[in-house]
Amino acid sequence: MLAKNDLLAQEIREWLAARDILAFNLTSSPGAGKTTLLERTIRELGSARPISVIEGDQETLLDAERIKATGCSVVQVNTGAGCHLDAEMMRRALDTLDPPSGSLLFVENVGNLVCPALFDLGERSKVVVISVTEGSDKPLKYPHMFAAAGLVIINKTDLLPYVDFDLEACSRHARSVNPDVQIVPVSAVSGEGVIDWYTWIDAQ
Ligand code: MG
Ligand code: ZN
C-alpha cells in the first residue's frame, strides 16, 4: 500500500514541479492552529503569489469555509473513518483545484501525528505544527512525524506566559530526532515570528 502511494506521490511531485507549484504538507495534532496559521499566511502572502489550499478533515467543510473566506481557492477532502490524506486523495483534489502555475499550495492534513508521517503526498516538504498548549515532549513521543518534517513550527507563543511549556526542551527534543530541522516559534494570532515562516517558504 505504501509502495503504491509512493509511486503516485512521485508522479504528483513531477506534475507540481513541471508547473512550478510549491507544495507544503502541514501536519499536527488536532487544535495546534494549522487553519489559523493558513488564514494569516494567505492574507499576508496571497498578493505576492497565488495560493491554493487542500483541506483534510474526517468530516465537515468548516475549515474549507474559513479558508474560502480569505478569498483563496480551496478543496475540502473528507476522509470519513480515515485518519490521514494519501496520494490518491491528493491527486483527486488537484484535479478539482487545478492550481495555477507558479502558485503556492498548502495541504492541511488531518490532525494526527502518527500516519501522516508515512504518506508522501508529493509535497516539497512536510511542516509539523506543535502548539505551546501541548507537551514539550511531543517530538520524543511522535518521532516519525518530527523526523519527516522539513520545518517545525511552534505555535501559540502568545500563550507562553500562561502555560508550562519549555520551548528550549521542545527544540532540543525535535533536534534529537531530526538534527538539521529548522524550528520557528510563531503566534498565528498576534503575528509574532510569522516573518520567519515566510522567510523559510521563500528559501524553498
Ligand atoms: Mg484545521
Ligand atoms: Zn491514518
Side-chain angles (χ1 to χ4, degrees):
M1 185 180 67
L2 281 172
K4 193 176 156 209
N5 186 83
D6 285 350
L7 269 179
L8 181 54
Q10 192 50 37
E11 281 174 27
I12 292 170
R13 185 166 283 113
E14 285 160 17
W15 188 90
L16 292 169
R19 285 157 187 78
D20 190 28
I21 297 169
L22 194 53
F24 300 107
N25 179 2
L26 273 67
T27 64
S28 77
S29 16
K34 297 185 298 304
T35 313
T36 304
L37 180 66
L38 282 178
E39 287 173 307
R40 176 177 282 275
T41 304
I42 295 160
R43 281 200 309 272
E44 296 183 344
L45 292 190
S47 58
R49 207 169 175 188
I51 298 178
S52 314
V53 174
I54 295 170
E55 275 293 333
D57 278 302
Q58 285 198 315
E59 297 292 346
T60 80
L61 302 173
L62 293 171
D63 281 0
E65 282 161 5
R66 286 173 60 188
I67 296 298
K68 205 173 182 179
T70 66
C72 172
S73 45
V74 57
V75 165
Q76 178 84 51
V77 178
N78 284 138
T79 57
C83 46
H84 58 268
L85 296 177
D86 63 27
E88 178 56 30
M89 294 172 192
M90 174 82 166
R91 192 192 61 74
R92 286 200 303 265
L94 284 171
D95 277 351
T96 309
L97 196 58
D98 193 21
S101 292
S103 60
L104 278 174
L105 173 68
F106 295 105
V107 180
E108 182 180 336
N109 217 312
V110 179
N112 172 1
L113 284 175
V114 184
C115 34
L118 302 174
F119 286 84
D120 187 2
L121 304 181
E123 71 276 346
R124 167 69 64 95
S125 190
K126 289 185 172 71
V127 175
V128 63
V129 183
I130 175 174
S131 66
V132 305
T133 55
E134 302 169 44
S136 323
D137 52 5
K138 276 245 170 102
L140 300 177
K141 290 178 173 172
Y142 302 95
H144 299 291
M145 189 72 254
F146 283 82
L151 180 72
V152 174
I153 291 180
I154 303 179
N155 191 25
K156 308 192 189 180
T157 54
D158 52 298
L159 298 179
L160 273 173
Y162 313 106
V163 293
D164 181 26
F165 184 87
D166 187 335
L167 199 62
E168 279 308 305
C170 182
S171 303
R172 197 169 61 245
H173 295 328
R175 291 206 175 91
S176 77
V177 299
N178 188 345
D180 298 324
V181 76
Q182 290 194 53
I183 300 167
V184 172
V186 308
S187 167
V189 170
S190 76
E192 180 190 16
V194 292
I195 189 72
D196 296 329
W197 157 232
Y198 302 152
T199 303
W200 182 86
I201 292 172
D202 277 345
Q204 306 307 303

